[in-house]
Amino acid sequence: MNRLVPFAAVLCLAGAAAACSDRDDDVVQAPAPGAPPAPLPDRQADAAATNAALAFGMTRDQLEDADLYSRADADLGDVETLVLDASGALTHLVVELNGPGDMKVLVPVADVALVDRNGDKDLVTDLTPGQLQALPAWTPPAR
């Protein structure tokens, strides 16, 4: 019994480390209608996210850490998750909007563009805060 306790502690710590990864749910595949989104296997997520970021002229880390700004330079929110279609193409970004409630919405990639803000690569949109709040809410994958 005493030998099991240290082993169980190691398993708990390993599970906690995996749960705390900054890449958890950063890349998901868009679900079928009515189904929850599904996290992608690490290798597929890495390749797809890298390709998606390159399309914006960014690294994966830059895209996943990007801020979303208005054309008037107002900080609207932060990119949280990349959403891919079945072919691995980036279709939406999950953006946590600034403001009360930490609302997360699905922003179509077609509505954002790269912006260089004094050497920092971020994203810009013509959508207003009201339009962003009206976008579909993000429902994270079940764990």
Side-chain angles (χ1 to χ4, degrees), residues 9-100:
V10 169
L11 286 177
C12 287
L13 289 175
C20 294
S21 167
D22 68 345
R23 299 247 182 201
D24 281 355
D25 300 336
D26 285 347
V27 182
V28 298
Q29 189 163 21
L40 294 174
D42 287 342
R43 182 178 296 173
Q44 186 180 1
D46 287 342
T50 299
N51 290 337
L54 290 174
F56 278 103
M58 304 169 91
T59 66
R60 177 181 177 175
D61 287 338
Q62 286 172 322
L63 181 57
E64 290 176 347
D65 292 334
D67 292 327
L68 180 64
Y69 288 89
S70 70
R71 294 283 179 189
D73 209 31
D75 187 356
L76 301 171
D78 303 308
V79 174
E80 295 287 319
T81 303
L82 310 180
V83 181
L84 311 174
D85 66 13
S87 71
L90 180 66
T91 61
H92 292 81
L93 300 170
V94 175
V95 174
E96 183 174 351
L97 301 177
N98 291 340

Side-chain angles (χ1 to χ4, degrees), residues 86-128:
S87 71
L90 180 66
T91 61
H92 292 81
L93 300 170
V94 175
V95 174
E96 183 174 351
L97 301 177
N98 291 340
D102 296 329
M103 183 178 189
K104 295 180 182 179
V105 296
L106 286 164
V107 179
V109 172
D111 289 330
V112 299
L114 175 68
V115 64
D116 189 320
R117 301 181 68 250
N118 301 320
D120 288 332
K121 291 185 176 185
D122 285 306
L123 300 173
V124 66
T125 186
D126 289 324
L127 297 174
T128 67

